[in-house]
Amino acid sequence: MKNKESIYDTYFEKQKELNDEKLHIWLDYTVFSWRWWLGVLLILVMIGILIKFRKKESTDRLLYTGLFIAIFSSFLDMIGDFLGLWDYRYEVFPLTSNYLPWDLFLLPISMIFFIQVKPKINPVIKALIY
């Protein structure tokens, strides 16, 4: 019968081997592909939109909102990936299981933009649309 330490050692060794294999696949097939460039472009466009259209006087409030959305969406994305509900094959950064352009840029910045464009709309309606 194996002890707990050897089971964990075996698991982490397998995980390291899979991570190494994932990195090699990413380097061979993903980096600089059109889908990789699409993710990079998404990041740059969303940062440009944030810089150009944010209201300077409410930067703190908007960035706190964006941070909350980024953390929450990343957490939900990690759960979905862990449970095998989805996976990402064209990550911009291969070191995470999240699709960072979506979780850290598109969702938070689009919500920040939405808050600024229609600030008077009922929050429930905004949530349903979002």
Side-chain angles (χ1 to χ4, degrees):
M1 184 165 162
K2 291 185 175 182
N3 65 19
K4 290 179 188 177
E5 293 301 317
S6 67
I7 292 172
Y8 278 113
D9 291 340
T10 304
Y11 168 78
F12 288 123
E13 184 61 34
K14 287 179 188 176
Q15 187 177 27
K16 183 185 178 314
E17 290 172 11
L18 286 172
N19 287 340
D20 290 342
E21 186 177 347
K22 179 181 177 182
L23 180 62
H24 289 295
I25 291 170
W26 182 81
L27 288 170
D28 292 340
Y29 298 103
T30 301
V31 70
F32 304 124
S33 68
W34 71 270
R35 292 179 181 175
W36 184 84
W37 281 112
L38 186 64
V40 171
L41 182 67
L42 181 65
I43 291 171
L44 295 175
V45 166
M46 295 312 293
I47 290 173
I49 288 172
L50 178 65
I51 290 170
K52 182 158 178 69
F53 292 108
R54 71 176 165 80
K55 292 182 181 177
K56 310 288 190 271
E57 63 276 357
S58 59
T59 298
D60 288 346
R61 178 180 62 95
L62 294 172
L63 289 179
Y64 288 134
T65 301
L67 178 64
F68 174 77
I69 292 169
I71 291 170
F72 191 67
S73 64
S74 294
F75 179 70
L76 292 177
D77 201 4
M78 282 187 276
I79 291 172
D81 182 63
F82 180 81
L83 295 175
L85 300 175
W86 54 78
D87 60 44
Y88 300 107
R89 298 178 183 189
Y90 298 96
E91 296 121 330
V92 174
F93 307 106
L95 304 176
T96 66
S97 61
N98 298 27
Y99 190 64
L100 295 182
W102 186 265
D103 293 339
L104 300 183
F105 295 95
L106 180 68
L107 291 173
I109 294 173
S110 63
M111 182 54 77
I112 288 170
F113 186 73
F114 196 47
I115 288 170
Q116 291 183 102
V117 171
K118 296 289 186 182
K120 303 288 185 203
I121 292 180
N122 184 340
V124 175
I125 295 172
K126 281 185 185 180
L128 291 173
I129 291 172
Y130 195 66

